[in-house]
Amino acid sequence: MLEKVGAEVLAERERIAARVRDELVAAGLPVVAPGLNPVLAQGVEVTVDPFDDAAGGVSVGWKSSPRLQSCVLRAVKHSLLDDPALAHQQVVLEAMLAAITAILGSAGFTVRDSLNDYAPFTLEVPAGPGGSPSWGPREEEVAVSGWSGSSAGESES
């Protein structure tokens, strides 16, 4: 049976995953909300593996639209290996993972291809940046607007 990581390591993985989601949304990519029904899911999917093994950590993948996924599954089910959906899905996955790698690398994350043979077309993010995110408020914005990092819609009194 696989051992789980300790609370401190799991908390760090969750912190990295949250920062990954934030950076990718800031870049304009849709991110799958944790717990969203898979039938509706499309966009970047970020997961945290609680186990202590080589494939553990923060994993990032791309989920194409449910329609494209359905076409791919149909082609595989019927052994239609020349179906254009299969080739297109591979191009989409490769392109999106390259874009995600570039975006996260620019934001200071360590990104590598997944070591998990059971999760092809995924990335691992073993480390993330400290400090403020690339899209965070600038000193001049805070001084001028009184921005304090409170939730959107809350006003300063």
Side-chain angles (χ1 to χ4, degrees), residues 32-55:
V32 175
L36 181 67
N37 187 312
V39 172
L40 303 172
Q42 61 185 15
V44 179
E45 186 170 42
V46 181
T47 58
V48 175
D49 184 351
F51 294 105
D52 189 15
D53 62 350

Side-chain angles (χ1 to χ4, degrees), residues 12-128:
E12 176 62 7
R13 288 179 180 178
E14 292 288 354
R15 182 194 73 79
I16 292 169
R19 286 286 300 264
V20 164
R21 288 183 192 102
D22 287 349
E23 286 294 344
L24 294 173
V25 167
L29 294 177
V31 173
V32 175
L36 181 67
N37 187 312
V39 172
L40 303 172
Q42 61 185 15
V44 179
E45 186 170 42
V46 181
T47 58
V48 175
D49 184 351
F51 294 105
D52 189 15
D53 62 350
V58 177
S59 179
V60 180
W62 181 260
K63 291 187 69 87
S64 299
S65 73
R67 177 64 186 153
L68 180 54
Q69 289 179 48
S70 176
C71 290
V72 167
L73 290 174
R74 181 188 148 281
V76 170
K77 179 180 177 182
H78 296 289
S79 299
L80 303 172
L81 301 180
D82 60 345
D83 190 304
L86 293 175
H88 184 64
Q89 173 74 330
Q90 182 170 347
V91 169
V92 168
L93 292 173
E94 289 172 354
M96 294 310 300
L97 292 179
I100 291 166
T101 298
I103 292 165
L104 293 178
S106 174
F109 291 86
T110 301
V111 183
R112 63 181 181 223
D113 290 336
S114 177
L115 299 174
N116 185 349
D117 293 337
Y118 296 105
F121 295 105
T122 59
L123 303 168
E124 292 177 2
V125 184

Side-chain angles (χ1 to χ4, degrees), residues 136-152:
R138 304 296 187 251
E139 187 175 312
E140 63 275 11
E141 294 172 320
V142 174
V144 171
S145 68
W147 193 86
S148 67
S150 58
S151 298

